[in-house]
């Protein structure tokens, strides 16, 4: 039986952090595969212009067609990837080609931006911190930007980060109602990228705790914690890095569907992505250093344990040997050479004195090598704390 | 599932992962060398257009010439590199120059794309997972794309990943029959790149197993497993990296033989290659961290073993010494100074009491240093699990 | 109870080195959030031309408006971010748009340069060494350069590095009074970048001390010191790296608000930033090496402790065993085979001689392996030092 | 006395792998220094066109002048750098300027390509494996390509890799006789680059041996082997890397002396250089991993040794203490409290029973911690192998 | 030769390797600060054309003005930075602006090239090996190239590397007298860069010594040596890297003051800088590997020490326990169960036989685990060496 880590149990690592989608080699490009556990695809529409904003839920794909042509901005929000038929008919109504639909439905895909004749496809990854502040859910959100509509497709219907955007539209806060569909797409992506800050905040706290733990009370559980965080940071970096690339692509090249003011806003979004990557790098570096400190602290402890063992053993082993000598049963009667010390008048005190002398010499030897100093210091430090 | 490493025997590492082809320095460029163990080169033709699809096997090179000129798309699939004569006459019929033929026959070569006057040469590496889920076979597939034909040359006749493509042609699934030879070349390459996902999937499972193993039951076999996976990931990266470069070359530069829609499809292929490289990097990083955790866990264990030894030794060594003292045979008759304790009324109880006192002091000393807490905690944790 | 590090206590790491600002995902871009602990925003004006220089403190935003149009150079210095109303009205008077104001007020932001129609926004980070020479305060300074004014906004009203610049203006030292607002902006940024040299100077000294400590008197506190410096260098690099990028941007692209001579001066500033980054890299590398040396020195020490234990144990354990043999109480009377040695005439001396022989053999054994040489050398070194 | 490595003796590392040439600072550029141990410079000419090939040896420089103007391709092969006068007069006849001559004679130089008005200078490094398959000789070969001649200058007259090229010219194999001087220069360089494959082949074998050795029978000699290979790979990379750069330069820029078909051939050469660098990187990575495995395997072994010591000590030390107690000589006659156990009827069996109980408890304790399981497993594995 | 490190005392690391110059933040750009320990600034002129060469020492700045206009090449060599007044008046006469003067006087600065209207400023760092072959002096040399003059300013008057250049001018060796001022500047910089080769040569020897030391006789002093060399290599790289950049700048861009033939010569200089950086990288890599080997060799040694301790302890501890048993004083008279063995006829021989049996079993146990083989091998190896 071995050293168990009850809190770092087997199941912990069997998450979806490093998930990816792939087809059987040779599968026809554009093949769509519905995950059997996915929940059905509700369609929610928020249609608005500067004067009004309407919210309609439970639309059918054919309901959507009517709103496509209206001059107002329409945000079709598809919640869940479970209803194949509905997703296919959406694809037809919105003129989404099969390869695009494949990227939207077969999740997770690597984030990217793709220009299509009348549309811009943005694949993003949203992260939501788990309840206890450890780990996060990762969910793909695909954004399709058309002339005067935005279609978002969310992997998971229950969680998202768009509530504040919905509020801004409903209550006409800021400028969002007076701007076009491209501004809406930007606002949604901006909200997605800001979720990384929320998740990173939990890592800052966990790393600060680890810093104290590693130096003050390093145990075998510390190791598992360092590894877990490192692992999650790698997953976070894998999700945000391609989004930075995608943003950079939109900033560099002039894309017709993105108006100039929105491009300027996207610069802000890009700055955030850069800052997030910066932070992930910094945290990874800190964890690397912490691992070193952890390893060193054990070399340290082992050294101290060894010293204690060595001091005690080295002092008592020779003394025990001497006691052993005079415990021998050589017959003092048959020979004057057989252990005459046993019959000396001062035999026992002389023996004790010799033992004392040896012990004191050894103590002085270790003292001069500085071994006691270390241990005494540690003791004093203990009473301080 | 537990991937077995029965024992880390010598043969395990003598695979072909890091194989490469080279000639004796100064050899004439274009020299072809047939591997004596290679199997003969069967030629299989699949000829199709939108209306029909024919499959012919066991063709001779001269049979091929007839199909070269027909307007239908012809896929000549050469299985095996063992028949020098046939390969040379194929070279003549298809106007493949000597340097190209060298790259096709003298395997393995580094993947690449080369433009030739009437042809495009694509050297790829296909990977097939081994039966038990550990390791993979790597095989070179050379694709030559001409005006209305595709010639593929496979290193190993028995395994490939093209069955689904053949099905799509035979049963006219999707658009493949209505497109040209360039689409076929893309479909084949896409299938080859998707094999990497299949292989990577086995690594995901093996790494997840390792994560638990390293923390819960690290043994010396763990080390061999980490090294084996690292080694195979290096080999995978070496095979996919140049294919990404080759795809990028086709995307950047306009190549006459590749039509515009196929170029767009190749973008999808490129995205997959990027994702594969991403995953390989992520897995390598995780393995590096696991190696650190492995090393630390041993420092940890050694420390704990040392503590047990030190506690037991440090407590009993002084006691044994005292027992040794009173086991000495100094003659109490010749002198009142010789071990008078032996004749005291309370001598033995006092001796036991002294020993008890020393033992308790040392236990308290170690208790205050927190050594027992660690050990007790471990014990409690054991009963938890 | 564990090993405490009294000087590296828990609070030490809970500083703001890796702080960053973020909004709730979905928040309206341009939302300003005043930190409740921030101190109110005093406005100080220094207005000068070649002939005169005036200093006015405690201005209101509307006072500023008058000076905006004057041909003299006006430096509006806003001290503190605590007064939301004043900051908003400043924003209106200076035509600072909401996104700019967000970057200025919601600190800390990543340093950058942004061109706006009539203004140049420069976000910088200033560092001030703490009193005891360990660690530093980091503070955001935002510089807005307009046609003939400079507006600086400081996060913290009490500390800055601009006193020598104020002196140069007041006492008309050098050319600063005869140059425009762009020169002032450069002079301020130059002062901010030079603060990094002051902070780095403290690291040079601390690293030199560490070099001696690691080799001569490495203890468990050393580890904490190495980690602390590494951590602060990471934070420093994170602050200066984007400023180098920002300077490079100004040098590369021709920005209308920056005159040619000032661009030449900024080259000097850029050279300093490069040198600072160079130094941070060099210090990080040195610390990495020191960590290695630290780890090795413990492997070394443990090896030596082990040797002492092994020599003493290996010599005395066999001897103690022999003494134990002759301490047994087999009855020599019932059998001539029962420990006849005890009754031999030379029994005891022979026994001692055998022990001596064993001890000498073992000493010679260890001597030839070179164990004593090492230990003697160490002793000599100690008396030297 | 210390741990000797008989096979890794001091002289092993005093090779020329990291050699380089330099002058006293301030020396006139173009100064030539003949190494006193270099062997004299024989000149061998191979003159050929499509119809004939002549070989002349022991030419004088002035003999060469005649062949320079002839339309046939002339390959002047200078063997050895020991004859200053001859080298200088060659320099005059071939119009080689002083700086070029310096690079040719003062070996070793970094590989490079330099365009001169009528000539192309190619500095290359050739590697030849040593006899026993360990290590390699490195030798500079300078190639000067003129209009219709090639001049090669070899550092070491006795070894080269050009025999197959000479055969191809003599026996008119392939196309070499029908092509110009640029093709000859390519053929020579190609042969030089292929020598790296030959050397790398020896490393592949050595690394495969090391893989088994590290895991199955790691000893202190293993360390020296890993270091030696790493060192030689660094030297190989240093030699091939600049040749890849030089080849790339010729491929990118159009150089008048290189005809278009030869440029195409050089692409093949470049591919080989890239593959060699790939392999060197892969081998270096594998060695890094092996070093980790080596280190871990020792942590492992030390842990196991410690466990054996701890189990044995922990079980017997308390027992020995109890035996020591009842070996004390307290006088049972003077007091009923003095070791009454000695006179009990069941004293000795009870004592043995107590000892047995303690031993069994400890065995169970260690059993439950899994220590015996590990040791038993190791035993089984040993009998397997 | 053995490089001595007598003891690693504190003073060793307090050198100027990582020195840099900085001003108080906010200091006026162009402020000059004379180091109080600097020695006064002697001016030495060497004026030459193809026909003559004159050397004048102890010039005043005003003496210089006369030579500035003459068509001959004038090399003004300023030795030392101690005389502020003289440096300032030089600045006026040579039209050196304040920022340039700051770079020249406030040493050390990062090497760079700056184009000024009539001048080219080159900041270089020269290195001179210290007397005992350990470490080096680093000194800034600023080169100002004008139309027909070169002004060099040396930090330290006593050492330089220009004697061979002075000889070449005086004795009209080579082409230096027939070329312009730009050629002189090149010759000086070339001499400075060649000093790095001289310093690197000492490292090659020291690393070769270390290679043997680490494997054959690693001690704690080895660690200090590795660290010292690593540290000095970092400093060297910091000095040469920016000079390579500066040279590259001159090669890339066409600078009016540099004639075309001199630009060609600078290519040679650039090649040297690249080779130096190559070597520094190679040496750093080798040192990194040596550090690994050093660490491993200690893990190795500790393992062997542990084995010796474990073998001896494990064999003798059980034997000593048995001896302890029969040393107990249970009264054999009161009970037939009390140690009847003591009165058996074959008691003592049976006891010895049991001990022998246990000892032999354990020796066989360790033998089969291969522990003695290792130790025996080590012994055999020792007699070999």
């Amino acid at each position: 039986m071995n050293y168990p880590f009850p809190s770092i149990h087997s199941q912990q690592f069997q998450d979806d952090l490093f998930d990816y989608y792939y087809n059987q080699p040779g599968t026809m490009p554009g093949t769509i595969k519905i995950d059997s556990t996915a929940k059905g695809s509700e369609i929610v529409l928020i249609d608005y212009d500067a004067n009004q904003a309407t919210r309609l839920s439970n639309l059918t794909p054919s309901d959507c067609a009517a709103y496509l042509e209206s001059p107002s901005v329409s945000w079709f929000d598809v919640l869940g990837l479970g209803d194949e038929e509905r997703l296919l008919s959406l694809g037809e109504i919105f003129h989404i080609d099969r390869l695009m639909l494949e990227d939207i439905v077969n999740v997770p895909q690597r984030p990217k931006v793709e220009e299509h004749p009348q549309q811009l496809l943005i694949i993003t990854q949203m992260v939501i911190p788990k309840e206890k502040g450890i780990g996060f859910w990762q969910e793909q959100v695909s954004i399709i930007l058309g002339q005067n509509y935005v279609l978002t497709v969310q992997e998971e219907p229950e969680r998202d980060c768009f509530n504040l955007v919905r509020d801004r539209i409903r209550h006409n806060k800021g400028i969002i109602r007076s701007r076009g569909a491209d501004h809406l797409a930007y606002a949604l992506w901006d909200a997605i990228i800001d979720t990384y800050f929320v998740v990173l905040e939990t890592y800052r706290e966990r790393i600060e705790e680890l810093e104290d733990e590693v130096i003050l009370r390093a145990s075998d559980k510390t190791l598992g914690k360092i590894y877990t965080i490192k692992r999650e940071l790698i997953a976070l970096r894998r999700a945000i890095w391609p989004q930075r690339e995608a943003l950079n692509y939109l900033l560099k090249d002039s894309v017709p569907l993105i108006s100039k003011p929105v491009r300027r806003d996207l610069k802000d979004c890009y700055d955030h992505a850069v800052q997030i990557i910066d932070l992930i790098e910094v945290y990874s570096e800190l964890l690397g250093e912490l691992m070193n400190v952890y390893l060193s602290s054990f070399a340290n402890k082992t050294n101290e344990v060894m010293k204690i063992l060595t001091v005690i053993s080295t002092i008592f082993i020779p003394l025990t040997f001497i006691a052993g000598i005079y415990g021998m049963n050589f017959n003092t009667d048959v020979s004057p050479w057989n252990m005459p010390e046993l019959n000396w008048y001062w035999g026992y005190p002389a023996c004790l004195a010799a033992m004392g002398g040896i012990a004191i010499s050894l103590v002085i030897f270790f003292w001069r090598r500085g071994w006691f100093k270390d241990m005494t210091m540690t003791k004093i430090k203990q009473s301080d704390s």
Side-chain angles (χ1 to χ4, degrees), chain A:
Chain A
M1 193 169 140
N2 240 294
Y3 301 90
F5 287 67
S7 66
I8 300 150
H9 54 290
S10 186
Q11 279 68 35
Q12 177 167 359
F13 294 130
Q14 286 165 9
D15 48 28
D16 293 333
L17 288 187
F18 299 105
D19 208 7
Y20 52 89
Y21 185 85
Y22 72 96
N23 281 315
Q24 197 60 14
T27 306
M28 185 166 47
T31 302
I32 285 168
K33 214 159 81 187
I34 298 293
D35 182 354
S36 60
T37 65
K39 291 160 204 153
S41 316
E42 194 193 338
I43 305 175
V44 178
L45 167 67
I46 296 182
D47 189 272
Y48 64 89
D49 56 21
N51 302 316
Q52 57 78 33
T54 325
R55 182 180 178 282
L56 295 167
S57 56
N58 268 321
L59 271 73
T60 61
S62 47
D63 295 342
C64 298
Y67 290 91
L68 263 182
E69 301 306 312
S70 75
S72 59
V73 177
S74 312
W75 170 19
F76 306 95
D77 194 10
V78 182
L79 305 169
L81 293 171
D83 188 338
E84 184 171 7
E85 199 185 337
R86 178 169 286 193
L87 290 168
L88 287 174
S89 58
L90 267 176
E92 264 170 51
I93 288 166
F94 285 86
H95 305 290
I96 302 170
D97 78 19
R98 303 274 314 187
L99 283 176
M100 271 170 88
L101 206 56
E102 188 186 3
D103 286 342
I104 292 167
V105 177
N106 297 349
V107 294
Q109 296 285 334
R110 199 173 188 260
K112 61 177 171 182
V113 161
E114 267 182 12
E115 276 185 88
H116 291 261
Q118 302 292 328
Q119 291 165 323
L120 196 69
L121 169 66
I122 305 171
I123 304 281
T124 69
Q125 296 287 342
M126 173 168 77
V127 290
I128 313 274
K130 288 194 181 164
E131 293 73 23
K132 296 179 187 165
I134 291 183
F136 53 86
W137 307 104
Q138 183 175 331
E139 182 189 339
Q140 172 163 332
V141 179
S142 311
I143 304 173
I144 293 171
L145 169 62
Q147 192 56 45
N148 51 5
Y149 65 91
V150 169
L151 172 69
T152 53
V153 186
Q154 300 191 34
E155 180 180 347
E156 176 62 54
E158 271 143 32
R159 292 182 297 263
D160 73 15
C161 58
F162 298 145
N163 282 334
L164 284 176
V165 178
R166 293 190 186 99
D167 276 9
R168 277 154 57 197
I169 297 175
R170 194 175 339 153
H171 301 118
N172 198 5
K173 283 188 200 154
I175 55 173
I176 194 161
R177 288 252 293 262
S178 55
R179 306 285 279 275
D182 54 349
H183 187 85
L184 175 62
Y186 146 70
L188 296 173
W189 200 359
D190 190 51
I192 288 167
I193 282 177
D194 280 350
T195 60
Y196 287 84
F197 282 115
V198 180
V199 169
L200 278 175
E201 189 62 21
T202 67
Y203 290 100
R204 188 163 70 148
E205 284 162 22
R206 284 161 75 188
I207 288 173
E208 263 167 19
E209 277 175 32
L210 266 180
E211 282 176 336
D212 291 347
E213 184 172 326
V214 162
I215 291 183
L216 296 182
R217 45 180 193 281
S219 75
D220 38 14
K221 279 194 275 183
T222 315
L223 201 57
K225 291 189 195 170
I226 294 179
Y227 180 72
T228 308
I229 300 183
K230 192 89 187 219
R231 204 170 168 278
E232 292 174 13
L233 286 176
I234 291 173
L236 268 188
R237 196 189 54 206
R238 190 172 155 243
I240 186 71
W241 189 270
Q243 297 192 58
R244 193 195 67 96
E245 278 174 33
L247 280 161
N248 196 27
Y249 172 83
L250 290 185
L251 292 178
K252 283 267 165 70
D253 299 348
S254 119
V255 176
L257 280 165
I258 304 274
S259 65
K260 217 172 154 183
V262 169
R263 189 139 79 219
R264 222 193 116 238
D265 292 339
L266 282 174
K267 176 74 174 57
D268 201 57
C269 214
Y270 175 80
D271 286 349
H272 288 179
V274 168
Q275 197 169 1
I276 288 162
I277 291 169
D278 260 24
L279 281 165
I280 292 172
E281 294 304 323
V282 162
Y283 289 168
S284 296
E285 243 183 290
L286 284 177
L287 282 175
E289 293 304 318
L290 278 179
M291 186 59 112
N292 273 339
V293 171
Y294 176 83
L295 273 170
S296 307
S297 77
F298 267 95
N300 232 324
K301 280 182 189 173
T302 302
N303 185 261
E304 189 143 325
V305 170
M306 288 294 314
K307 273 185 186 167
I308 293 173
L309 177 60
T310 301
V311 166
I312 297 288
S313 300
T314 306
I315 290 174
F316 282 101
I317 282 177
L319 303 188
T320 304
F321 166 64
I322 291 174
I325 291 272
Y326 293 108
M328 296 195 295
N329 293 320
F330 283 97
N331 192 340
T332 56
D333 296 340
V334 298
S335 153
W337 296 108
N338 274 1
M339 310 186 73
E341 306 93 325
L342 296 180
N343 292 314
W344 290 353
Y345 189 82
W346 295 107
Y348 181 57
C351 175
L352 288 189
M355 287 174 173
I358 290 171
I360 290 169
S361 312
L362 285 166
V363 167
I364 290 175
F365 174 77
F366 290 120
W367 181 272
R368 292 193 48 191
R369 290 184 97 87
W371 290 20
F372 289 117
K373 207 172 54 179
D374 286 13
M375 284 190 281
T376 325
M377 272 173 45
T378 316
K379 225 174 162 179
I380 290 168
K381 280 190 293 174
Q382 283 182 322
S383 43
D384 284 353
S385 74

